[in-house]
Amino acid sequence: MTFKQSKTLLSKLFDAAILAAAPHGALQGNLPAKPKGRLVVVGAGKGVAQLAAALEDMWDGPISGVVVTRYGYAAPCKVIRVLEASHPVPDQAGVGAASEILKAVSGLGKDDLVIALICGGGSALLPAPPEGFTLEDEQALNKSLLASGAPIGVMNAIRKHFSRIKGGRLAQAAYPAKVVSLVVSDVPGDDPAQVASGPTVPDAIDGLAAAALVKSYSIDLPSRIAAFISTPSARAPRPDDACFAHNEVKVIASAALSLKAAAHVAAKAGYAPVILSDAIEGEARDIGLMHAAIARHVVQKDAPFAKPVAILSGGETTVTLHGTGKGGRNTEFLLAFARGIAGLSGVVAMAADTDGIDGSEDNAGAFADGTTAPRLLAAGMDPMAILSANDAWSAFDALGDLFVPGPTGTNVNDFRAILISRDPGT
């Protein structure tokens, strides 16, 4: 199979993963019964507009609400208002959207119902700094977290203690109305309390524990924010708070389900599928080298998996920023992987973000094979220097190997697939 043919198959695997998390299918069978009172829909995330539109199609009865998504990710809704804001760095539009969502759930009664549509990306889209702080403070917090290389669960635990909407506070604002949270998970382990920093779902981590995480991961927070996090004012409602007693939480789409769908397509194409894990975390370039070591062992020893094989994995890697280049965690993973398989035949890989955007550019990820690193060197580009500058996007752009599907309407974390053929060139 040629590089071009392999790229086509890898794209089909990605499409299968996305289809498994598509809004209508994810919502089917997960909608609550009609309430006696009003139904209000709120939500946040990169795929929330598509979920809201699907919910409108499927709901038989009066409906109202407001959701916020990333700029360029909106979908037309008949009744539910779709607002747009900045991701990954919060902006004033996000502050306004968070205010509108809190307003939408205020004053509800016990017979009313709130459906919260929660997707990955909601943390940045719901900036609501505590009293006495500003958007600039939340932007500074976000910048520190994104540059830290800390796992997503750690970042979200800290975000929850610097917000008026995260960490279950949105559900608290809706009380006594029942809140049903329908969650599209983009976090390793599918803990709904971590998706979008859990605006409707509490967890047991308190401010002191969050402050300990800041110290443990050496996260360089602004001093005012670091001091605030461990104060009583930062305390989020605990899981045993009465406001959560009658609520429901359902994970309706996840990396695990999407990887299984991709595995089915790989098997039909003649590649034995192996799912390493749906919850891999760590530094993107280190995880790339680990995957490369596995691929080399398969090629050379036909172990631990027999060829032909499709090695699949998900989760959310991180990037500790050292340079100022263009890139994202999936292209950084893939460039490190390409260095690790340089000169190896019969191996082609893809790494992509299932929301359609990896980093700040318009690509979801990229493709690589054993010729990627040599082609870069031939073009006068040193892969190691590019990694040091966090500029993987530029490398794959120069080679014409970026993967640009556009916004997908969902978000179930990173998607990685490695095709290893039985014989080189096949």
Side-chain angles (χ1 to χ4, degrees), residues 103-115:
K103 189 186 302 181
V105 302
S106 66
L108 297 178
K110 64 178 182 179
D111 290 332
D112 297 323
L113 172 67
V114 174
I115 293 181

Side-chain angles (χ1 to χ4, degrees), residues 43-424:
K46 297 174 186 175
V48 75
Q50 290 78 8
L51 272 178
L55 176 55
E56 283 189 339
D57 288 343
M58 299 167 72
W59 190 263
D60 181 20
I63 190 170
S64 66
V66 57
V67 299
V68 58
T69 191
R70 177 177 175 160
Y71 291 125
Y73 279 49
C77 288
K78 302 166 189 171
V79 178
I80 299 169
R81 286 191 296 150
V82 178
L83 306 179
E84 295 179 277
S86 177
H87 182 284
V89 179
D91 66 358
Q92 193 59 48
V95 173
S99 177
E100 288 297 305
I101 287 172
L102 285 169
K103 189 186 302 181
V105 302
S106 66
L108 297 178
K110 64 178 182 179
D111 290 332
D112 297 323
L113 172 67
V114 174
I115 293 181
L117 304 174
I118 307 298
C119 312
S123 291
L125 295 167
L126 290 174
E131 195 70 33
F133 290 88
T134 66
L135 169 64
E136 288 71 25
D137 291 315
E138 188 144 349
Q139 289 172 332
L141 169 65
N142 231 42
K143 183 178 179 181
S144 296
L145 293 175
L146 291 173
S148 70
I152 187 65
V154 170
M155 290 194 280
N156 286 349
I158 295 166
R159 286 176 174 133
K160 292 177 187 185
H161 293 87
F162 192 77
S163 177
R164 291 179 291 106
I165 196 169
K166 301 180 177 79
R169 292 179 179 89
L170 178 58
Q172 188 178 48
Y175 185 76
K178 179 178 179 177
V179 179
V180 175
S181 300
L182 303 180
V183 181
V184 176
S185 174
D186 72 328
V187 298
D190 297 333
D191 179 1
Q194 299 304 325
V195 182
S197 301
T200 57
V201 185
D203 69 20
I205 295 178
D206 60 16
L208 291 176
L213 289 172
V214 172
K215 184 177 181 180
S216 176
Y217 285 88
S218 302
I219 301 173
D220 186 20
L221 293 186
S223 57
R224 285 183 69 233
I225 296 175
F228 175 82
I229 284 173
S230 58
T231 67
S233 299
R235 189 173 299 148
R238 294 182 56 81
D240 59 1
D241 192 294
C243 69
F244 304 115
H246 303 293
N247 294 351
E248 295 180 16
V249 181
K250 297 181 180 182
V251 175
I252 61 172
S254 68
L257 296 173
S258 288
L259 288 173
K260 287 179 182 177
H264 180 70
V265 174
K268 289 181 67 176
Y271 288 82
V274 172
I275 299 175
L276 289 183
S277 172
D278 63 1
I280 293 177
E281 297 181 274
E283 193 71 27
R285 64 184 67 185
D286 295 338
I287 302 303
L289 289 174
M290 179 269 285
H291 280 68
I294 293 173
R296 277 193 170 277
H297 202 72
V298 171
V299 170
Q300 295 167 356
K301 306 278 181 77
D302 218 31
F305 315 119
K307 304 184 291 287
V309 63
I311 301 173
L312 307 172
S313 68
E316 185 166 339
T317 62
T318 51
V319 173
T320 302
L321 292 175
H322 301 289
T324 58
K326 297 178 180 179
R329 59 182 186 263
N330 285 288
T331 49
E332 182 136 334
F333 161 93
L334 200 62
L335 185 53
F337 176 85
R339 288 185 66 244
I341 63 160
L344 204 63
S345 298
V347 180
V348 185
M350 155 196 270
D353 196 319
T354 54
D355 70 5
I357 298 293
D358 182 45
S360 59
E361 304 304 313
D362 65 352
N363 64 304
F367 302 95
D369 69 352
T371 73
T372 297
R375 283 187 289 145
L376 286 171
L377 289 169
M381 303 175 74
D382 180 2
M384 192 63 230
I386 296 168
L387 277 171
S388 297
N390 300 120
D391 198 27
W393 179 90
S394 296
F396 290 106
D397 180 56
L399 297 178
D401 289 336
L402 292 171
F403 175 55
V404 189
T408 63
T410 191
N411 183 16
V412 288
N413 233 317
D414 299 336
F415 175 82
R416 296 177 290 268
I418 304 167
L419 299 178
I420 303 179
S421 300
R422 178 176 285 107
D423 299 306

